[in-house]
Amino acid sequence: MIKTFEAVFDKNNRGVYSISLVEDPAMEGDFVALSKQKKIEFKTVDEEQRILLGLVLEPNKPIYRNQDGEEFNIVFSEQTIKELSHNFFKQGYQTNSSLEHSEDITGVSFVESWIVEDSKIDKSANFGFSYPKGSWIATMKVDDDAVWNDYVKTGKIKGFSIDAFLTLKEVKL
């Protein structure tokens, strides 16, 4: 049986210090690109506002990892997600982003973030999403032409993925 670890925010660590734009998000939540006409289209837009909306973290969802041949799952509690989201903005990390966790990018900024309280009436439901209570949703403003044209409009990136320093505690079933 594969081990499961709970990710815990240690206030002596950085927590989430960057959110990457990735093709294959671990949370399996693609984002929506918003256009000026308020017409929602996945991955392609016309007259762009250049705003992306998507899932950052979902509570209790097992995330498969394989590090040096060791397979395991990581899960995040609602409380940890809330602490990570608050710390991300409190520390001023909202302009920290990369492509696929490797190439740092500029000209992007997280401009809005919230924790889902009720999936039926959450703001994200207006865009066709249904994420459980405790999920972290965020919006990113993309001002960089290359990032927008070469990655967002082409569909090369489909969601958000965190870069973080976390403590892992094994969950005993």
Side-chain angles (χ1 to χ4, degrees):
M1 181 177 214
I2 191 168
K3 289 183 179 180
T4 298
F5 293 90
E6 180 180 351
V8 179
F9 174 50
D10 176 351
K11 291 168 184 51
N12 296 318
N13 259 332
R14 292 168 73 186
V16 175
Y17 61 88
S18 178
I19 300 176
S20 290
L21 298 170
V22 296
E23 180 179 8
D24 189 21
M27 283 289 127
E28 301 172 346
D30 292 356
F31 49 62
V32 174
L34 304 181
S35 71
K36 285 185 180 170
Q37 286 84 12
K38 305 289 187 233
K39 187 168 81 175
I40 305 308
E41 297 178 42
F42 290 88
K43 296 166 200 71
T44 52
V45 291
D46 303 314
E47 303 299 317
E48 302 101 7
Q49 266 189 31
R50 295 186 179 193
I51 295 175
L52 303 174
L53 181 145
L55 176 68
V56 178
L57 287 172
E58 181 179 321
N60 307 312
K61 181 182 180 94
I63 304 164
Y64 173 78
R65 302 282 92 177
N66 185 329
Q67 291 183 341
D68 303 321
E70 183 182 349
E71 297 179 288
F72 57 95
N73 287 315
I74 298 174
V75 295
F76 291 83
S77 70
E78 284 185 45
Q79 183 61 37
T80 294
I81 290 172
K82 183 181 277 189
E83 290 172 359
L84 289 170
S85 70
H86 291 175
N87 189 68
F88 180 74
F89 283 93
K90 186 175 168 185
Q91 298 301 320
Y93 293 142
Q94 59 269 28
T95 59
N96 293 358
S97 195
S98 64
L99 294 170
E100 299 292 348
H101 299 286
S102 61
E103 181 186 339
D104 288 343
I105 53 176
T106 58
V108 299
S109 181
F110 284 90
V111 294
E112 190 176 15
S113 168
W114 66 91
I115 302 296
V116 174
E117 295 295 329
D118 182 331
S119 58
K120 289 184 179 82
I121 60 171
D122 187 74
K123 179 178 180 175
S124 63
N126 294 334
F127 303 101
F129 293 126
S130 179
Y131 294 119
K133 180 180 181 299
S135 296
W136 178 9
I137 311 295
T139 61
M140 172 190 265
K141 176 80 168 109
V142 180
D143 291 318
D144 184 274
D145 290 338
V147 170
W148 188 258
N149 294 322
D150 299 343
Y151 293 92
V152 177
K153 287 179 77 172
T154 62
K156 286 182 185 172
I157 54 169
K158 295 181 174 63
F160 299 132
S161 181
I162 65 168
D163 293 307
F165 288 111
L166 303 163
T167 300
L168 297 180
K169 294 187 179 178
E170 188 171 354
V171 176
K172 300 288 186 186
L173 302 175

